[in-house]
Amino acid sequence: MAAVIAPVEGRRGRFVRRGMGDAGHSRYTVPMSLSPPPGGFQGPVKRSITIAGHQTSISLEPIFWRALERAAASRTLPLSALVAEIDVLRIADRAPANLASALRSWLFANESNSKM
């Protein structure tokens, strides 16, 4: 069972523990200004992509796959070409992160820069 969510008067912006709920889950309140992402919270989806002639599997949440697809379309690139370009940047780093982390980081930085 999921954690119980209820607003607490006078505690906006803070998580407040409210004892143990059903099935031993802690109950937390969340500010009323928060809401789940469109479509709710979803776990990762694995896809196979060819990068530099090699097949690789990448696990990302659907929201990141959609963001990658939009980024590729805005650059008129196939998804695999955008992932390959990000992979080249990742490999050039002194301490390369795994590919899924690099994709999420690139998307976040790209989205943040586009809003400035």
Side-chain angles (χ1 to χ4, degrees):
M1 183 170 187
V4 175
I5 300 173
V8 171
E9 192 67 34
R11 297 264 186 178
R12 277 182 79 109
R14 296 176 59 194
F15 289 98
V16 180
R17 186 171 184 182
R18 291 287 180 197
M20 298 302 280
D22 297 333
H25 293 289
S26 296
R27 289 188 283 176
Y28 289 89
T29 58
V30 295
M32 292 178 68
S33 62
L34 292 181
S35 60
F41 296 100
Q42 299 175 340
V45 174
K46 189 174 279 196
R47 289 195 192 177
S48 293
I49 291 186
T50 302
I51 301 174
H54 298 289
Q55 196 86 1
T56 189
S57 292
I58 303 168
S59 292
L60 292 173
E61 293 75 9
I63 197 165
F64 288 107
W65 283 119
R66 288 190 300 272
L68 270 174
E69 289 164 354
R70 283 192 308 271
S74 73
R75 290 165 174 76
T76 61
L77 290 172
L79 180 63
S80 59
L82 177 62
V83 171
E85 287 186 21
I86 296 168
D87 192 38
V88 167
L89 296 172
R90 174 188 75 90
I91 292 168
D93 198 42
R94 285 185 333 136
N98 68 59
L99 182 54
S101 295
L103 294 170
R104 287 186 196 98
S105 298
W106 183 87
L107 283 166
F108 185 80
N110 188 57
E111 182 67 21
S112 297
N113 288 336
S114 69
K115 289 185 178 181
M116 291 182 175

